């Protein structure tokens, strides 16, 4: 069966495949922060959403020690004072391992479809992400918007498309038959299962946190792997946002669909355990 989110984003995936084959330019994400593209109130809404994080604890909804960390400073003078749950590495690794079996059972179409759904939602949040990159890295807003938003999303999409380009070449089933002269032929019905490698680790940088972080994060997700994200202590917010939105997308659009898909494939039930986790730590 075709996963609904794969069907929803298949046109984008096909255009991406054409782009990597031709090596020409193509992007579904506008790099210009234009109200004609993102909506008349997108800039104001994004800045308001960013400011809503100030002076508060960012809810990452994942295993933590109960403590909080965070000392990000804006070069533009505003007080950020955002706190994040302090992660216990062993607890994150256990949670990622638990989610791995469930994510693996969902299958390649779900990996691609969910990854593209997450990217679509990140694109809609480009202004909020732009302000978070601006006030943690010191970039001017236009650069922060472009590099932190659409350009980072382009790099993530490229990772998803290259992953799907390889995964689609592996058949789910194949019939093998060898003639045996006068005797009945030898016949086998083969089934192939793509096996992910395990949990990935993304180490964030302070200069271009999403531009450098998204490719690895989405390459992991698109190939059926869980991933732990360790942001730079100076730019936690931009990379905390991605896993947070990823889990929300998974819960709202993925849980019931993947349960059905997993039963169809292997009899395994899929739940909404997190596939990507953020591990802010003090330094």
């Amino acid at each position: 069966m075709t996963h609904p989110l794969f069907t929803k984003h298949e046109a984008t995936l096909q255009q991406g495949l054409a782009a990597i084959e031709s090596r020409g330019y193509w992007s579904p994400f506008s790099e210009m922060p234009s109200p004609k593209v993102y909506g008349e109130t997108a800039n104001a809404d994004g800045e308001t959403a960013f400011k809503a994080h100030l002076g508060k604890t960012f809810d990452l909804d994942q295993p933590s020690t109960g403590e909080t960390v965070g000392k990000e400073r804006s070069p533009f003078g505003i007080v950020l004072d955002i706190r994040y749950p302090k992660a216990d590495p062993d607890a994150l690794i256990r949670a990622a391992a638990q989610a791995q079996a469930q994510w693996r059972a969902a299958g390649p179409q779900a990996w691609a479809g969910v990854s593209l759904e997450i990217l679509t939602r990140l694109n809609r949040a480009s202004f909020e992400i732009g302000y978070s990159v601006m006030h943690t890295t010191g970039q001017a807003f236009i650069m922060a918007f472009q590099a932190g938003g659409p350009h980072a999303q382009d790099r993530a999409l490229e990772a998803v498309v290259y992953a799907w380009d390889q995964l689609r070449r592996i058949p789910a089933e194949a019939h093998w038959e060898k003639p045996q002269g006068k005797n009945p032929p030898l016949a086998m019905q083969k089934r192939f299962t793509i096996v992910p490698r395990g949990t990935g680790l993304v180490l964030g940088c302070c200069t271009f946190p999403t531009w450098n972080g998204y490719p690895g994060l989405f390459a992991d997700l698109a190939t059926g792997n869980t991933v732990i994200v360790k942001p730079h202590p100076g730019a936690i917010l931009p990379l905390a946002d991605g896993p947070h939105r990823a889990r929300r997308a998974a819960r709202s659009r993925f849980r019931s669909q993947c349960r059905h898909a997993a039963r169809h494939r292997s009899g395994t039930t899929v739940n909404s355990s997190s596939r990507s986790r953020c591990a802010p730590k003090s330094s």
Side-chain angles (χ1 to χ4, degrees), residues 171-277:
E173 294 186 5
H175 181 76
W176 182 91
E177 190 170 297
K178 180 180 179 182
Q180 294 294 303
K182 296 180 179 180
N183 298 317
L186 294 176
M188 289 190 294
Q189 189 67 23
K190 299 181 179 182
R191 292 183 181 144
F192 299 90
T193 301
I194 296 172
V195 180
R197 298 297 298 270
T199 299
L201 175 64
V202 171
L203 299 177
C205 67
C206 192
T207 51
F208 292 91
T210 57
W211 193 88
N212 282 311
Y214 282 1
L217 193 160
F218 280 89
D220 279 320
L221 292 180
T223 51
N225 298 287
T226 53
V227 55
I228 295 173
V229 180
K230 168 59 179 77
H232 188 283
I236 301 173
L237 183 58
L239 279 181
D241 185 78
H244 181 65
R245 292 182 190 275
R247 287 198 292 277
R248 285 197 297 182
R251 289 193 181 103
S252 64
R253 295 300 302 272
F254 173 66
R255 179 171 53 187
S256 62
Q257 296 162 352
C258 279
R259 278 180 176 159
H260 182 66
R263 290 193 188 106
H264 177 79
R265 287 167 55 83
S266 62
T268 302
T269 298
V270 175
N271 64 31
S272 61
S273 295
S274 303
R275 262 84 36 203
S276 58
R277 298 183 179 273

Side-chain angles (χ1 to χ4, degrees), residues 114-134:
V114 172
S115 295
L116 291 171
E117 176 67 18
I118 296 167
L119 276 175
T120 299
R121 296 185 180 206
L122 285 172
N123 180 251
R124 290 200 295 263
S126 291
F127 281 90
E128 178 184 349
I129 295 169
Y131 281 107
S132 72
V133 171
M134 171 183 173

Side-chain angles (χ1 to χ4, degrees), residues 13-36:
L13 198 56
Q14 292 301 326
Q15 288 178 285
L17 289 170
I20 65 172
E21 183 176 347
S22 67
R23 300 299 175 123
Y25 171 78
W26 173 77
S27 173
F29 308 123
S30 174
E31 66 180 0
M32 297 306 297
S34 169
K36 294 181 180 179

Side-chain angles (χ1 to χ4, degrees), residues 125-188:
S126 291
F127 281 90
E128 178 184 349
I129 295 169
Y131 281 107
S132 72
V133 171
M134 171 183 173
H135 285 287
T136 53
T137 67
Q139 297 171 17
F141 177 73
I142 293 295
M143 176 180 283
F145 175 89
Q146 292 181 335
H151 292 177
Q153 294 150 19
D154 282 341
R155 284 167 57 77
L157 176 60
E158 184 179 37
V160 174
V161 172
Y162 272 107
W164 175 251
D165 187 38
Q166 296 303 311
L167 296 176
R168 66 176 177 154
R169 300 172 190 275
I170 302 172
E173 294 186 5
H175 181 76
W176 182 91
E177 190 170 297
K178 180 180 179 182
Q180 294 294 303
K182 296 180 179 180
N183 298 317
L186 294 176
M188 289 190 294

